[in-house]
Amino acid sequence: MVGGRWSATDDILAAAARLRAALDDLVGGAHRAGFLRADFTSADIPLLLEHLSTRIPVAGDRAAAFHLRYLDLVLAGLRTSAADLPVPDRQMGDETPRP
């Protein structure tokens, strides 16, 4: 299984390898250009996208506003100007975010 969703056929494995290479190139270019904080890696992208696509317990315009707010916060935190901010090393618990 790939990501718990698809059977790992040769085509799926090849596509996953191409995606990993493209993400490595993207992140590497952003690092070289000085736009992306050094502790962000290409392995962070799929989990970050998964996290940002999660449904939140509100609807309509309020949900859209929350999604845009958190996307803005994440993007600001990825910039090199935020590199001096520590990345918390936290254990994930049963805490539920309260919008």
Side-chain angles (χ1 to χ4, degrees), residues 9-49:
T9 65
D10 289 341
D11 288 340
I12 295 288
L13 293 173
R18 288 192 306 275
L19 176 60
R20 277 191 301 275
L23 293 176
D24 288 342
D25 289 345
L26 177 71
V27 170
H31 282 151
R32 286 187 298 279
F35 294 127
L36 185 64
R37 54 187 298 152
D39 59 349
F40 187 83
T41 71
S42 60
D44 291 314
I45 293 175
L47 292 174
L48 180 63
L49 293 175

Side-chain angles (χ1 to χ4, degrees), residues 54-60 62-63 66-67 70 96-99:
T54 304
R55 291 185 49 111
I56 57 174
V58 295
R62 189 165 181 230
F66 273 116
H67 282 293
Y70 292 111
T96 303
R98 303 192 192 284

Side-chain angles (χ1 to χ4, degrees), residues 29-98:
H31 282 151
R32 286 187 298 279
F35 294 127
L36 185 64
R37 54 187 298 152
D39 59 349
F40 187 83
T41 71
S42 60
D44 291 314
I45 293 175
L47 292 174
L48 180 63
L49 293 175
E50 182 72 25
H51 179 74
L52 290 173
S53 65
T54 304
R55 291 185 49 111
I56 57 174
V58 295
D61 291 342
R62 189 165 181 230
F66 273 116
H67 282 293
L68 291 174
R69 172 179 164 69
Y70 292 111
L71 179 60
D72 285 343
L73 290 169
V74 167
L75 293 176
L78 292 175
R79 292 187 185 99
T80 54
S81 60
D84 58 339
L85 300 174
V87 176
D89 184 18
R90 297 185 179 148
Q91 295 291 348
M92 303 309 281
D94 293 333
E95 297 176 22
T96 303
R98 303 192 192 284

